[in-house]
Amino acid sequence: MQQTRVLVCDDSALMRQQLKKIIESDPEFCVVGAARDGNDAVDKARDLRPDVVTMDINMPGIDGITALQLIVEEKIAPVVMVSSLTQQGAEATLQAMALGAFDYIAKPGGTVTANMSSVAREITRKLRAATITGTLDRLSRPSADSQTRLVRAQQREVRGRTRRRSLASGIGYRAVAIGISTGGPKTLMEVLPFIPADLNAAIFVVQHMPPTFTCSFAKRINDNCPMRCYETEAGMRVEPNTIYLAKGGHHLTLFKKENNEILIRAPKRPEHLFIPSVDIMMESVLSVFGSDTVGVLMTGMGDDGANTMVKIREAEGATIAESQESAIVFGMPQEAINRGGAEVVAPSWDIAGEIIKAVGGGAF
C-alpha cells in the first residue's frame, strides 16, 4: 500500500514531534518532512511535494496563513490548519478556511500543548479526507463572480414565485435548515451573501465547529451578508429575514408557542457525535414548520442530516443537496442523495438561487 506523505509545519519542536508520532501511528501515513516556520514550510512543500500539509497558524517569518496561500495557489497539496481554541485563533482559522484551507485541528490546550493525543483520531481522519481525489482543485478554484451569482439567483427567483407560494404552517414565513461541516466556512460564503435580505424565511445553520469558534463565525457571516446573523442563545425569538448559527457545544432546536411565536432552545443533550447536530436541528425545524421547511445539506464528512433530508422531502418540504462538482467533501450531501432525500442537486454557486426558488422569492 502506498503511504500518504505528510509535511508537518510548526515552530514548536514539541508539536512537530507529537504530530509526527500521531500521524505515523497510522500505517497509512508517513511524515516526509517537518518545517519550523512559514518560509521553511513553503520551501519544503515545493521540494517534497507532499500529499497533505499540516500548518500551524502562528509561526515566525511568513505566518501559516501566508504559507497556506502560496501552497494552495501553486496547487501543491491540501492544507489542514492547526490552531488554538482562543478567539484570536478562531478568527485566524476562519480566515485560513476562506483562503482555501481544507479544514482545521484545534489544539486542546493552547498554542503549545502536550495533549495532542486527545485529538489523534481527528487528525488522521481529516488528513485522510483531505487527500480524496479532486479536493485540491475544488479548494483552489476561483469563485463565480458576484454579478454572475446575482443574475442566477434572480432568474431562479422569477421561476420560483409560483412554485411554493402558499404557506401551510400558519407561521407566515418559511424555514431554511442548512447543515454543513468540513469546508463549510468557505462554502457558506458562496451561498449566504447571495440571499436577499427580504427573503420570507428564517435560516437556521448548523456548522460543525468548536464552541469558541461560532461567535466569530456568526460575526463574519453578519458582516458579509444582506441578512443579519446571530449565534443562537436559549430564549432567542425567531424572526424572518434572519440567519441563526447554532452555538458550538449546543444543539439548535425550536419551541413554538400557542400564538405561533417561535423561540430558540440550545440544549446540550441528546448526546451525539456532533454537537450541534444537523439531524437534530432539521428534525426540530421540520416539527415546527412542516412542509414550509427547506432542507439544505452541503459539504462535510459522514451522514449527519441525511436521514432528516429524507423526512423533509416526505413531508413535502423542499430539499437541496450540494453536488460533487463543488463539494469539498461529498460525504454528507452524497448520503442525502443516495437515500432519496435530495429533490435538487446543485453546485454551491447555484444553491442561493435554489433556496430563493424554494422559498418563493422575497417578502410577500
Side-chain angles (χ1 to χ4, degrees), residues 148-158 194 352-353 356:
T148 298
R149 293 182 192 210
L150 288 172
V151 168
R152 288 175 175 173
Q154 288 164 357
Q155 288 172 343
R156 282 167 173 75
E157 180 179 356
V158 170
F194 302 96
I356 293 167

Side-chain angles (χ1 to χ4, degrees), residues 55-130:
M55 182 74 69
D56 186 27
I57 288 178
N58 298 310
M59 293 191 293
I62 294 178
D63 64 15
I65 290 178
T66 304
L68 156 76
Q69 287 179 275
L70 292 169
I71 291 169
V72 171
E73 284 172 6
E74 295 179 25
K75 295 189 176 182
I76 297 173
V79 178
V80 177
M81 306 305 291
V82 181
S83 66
S84 69
L85 280 168
T86 64
Q87 183 177 351
Q88 183 180 359
E91 291 168 357
T93 303
L94 291 170
Q95 181 185 0
M97 298 293 290
L99 292 171
F102 171 75
D103 206 343
Y104 61 88
I105 298 156
K107 296 178 182 178
T111 304
V112 178
T113 176
N115 194 30
M116 289 298 288
S117 59
S118 66
V119 292
R121 289 184 63 185
E122 179 185 358
I123 291 169
T124 54
R125 180 170 60 90
K126 291 183 175 181
L127 292 179
R128 187 174 294 110

Side-chain angles (χ1 to χ4, degrees), residues 269-316:
R269 293 184 178 277
E271 291 293 329
H272 194 278
L273 178 61
F274 300 107
I275 301 177
S277 157
V278 179
D279 268 318
I280 288 171
M281 178 272 287
M282 285 186 168
E283 288 262 13
S284 183
V285 171
L286 179 61
S287 72
V288 170
F289 284 87
S291 62
D292 291 334
T293 302
V294 180
V296 183
L297 204 57
M298 292 190 284
T299 177
M301 289 184 270
D303 65 353
D304 192 17
N307 284 336
T308 315
M309 288 280 282
V310 175
K311 294 178 183 179
I312 292 170
R313 194 171 185 191
E314 288 173 345
E316 299 186 349

Side-chain angles (χ1 to χ4, degrees), residues 134-152:
T135 297
L136 185 58
D137 289 336
R138 288 189 288 273
L139 287 168
S140 60
R141 70 169 186 266
S143 299
D145 64 89
S146 298
Q147 188 59 40
T148 298
R149 293 182 192 210
L150 288 172
V151 168
R152 288 175 175 173

Side-chain angles (χ1 to χ4, degrees), residues 152-173:
R152 288 175 175 173
Q154 288 164 357
Q155 288 172 343
R156 282 167 173 75
E157 180 179 356
V158 170
R159 292 198 298 269
R161 283 191 181 277
T162 60
R163 185 176 177 220
R164 297 182 183 274
R165 199 168 179 83
S166 59
L167 292 165
S169 66
I171 295 169
Y173 55 92

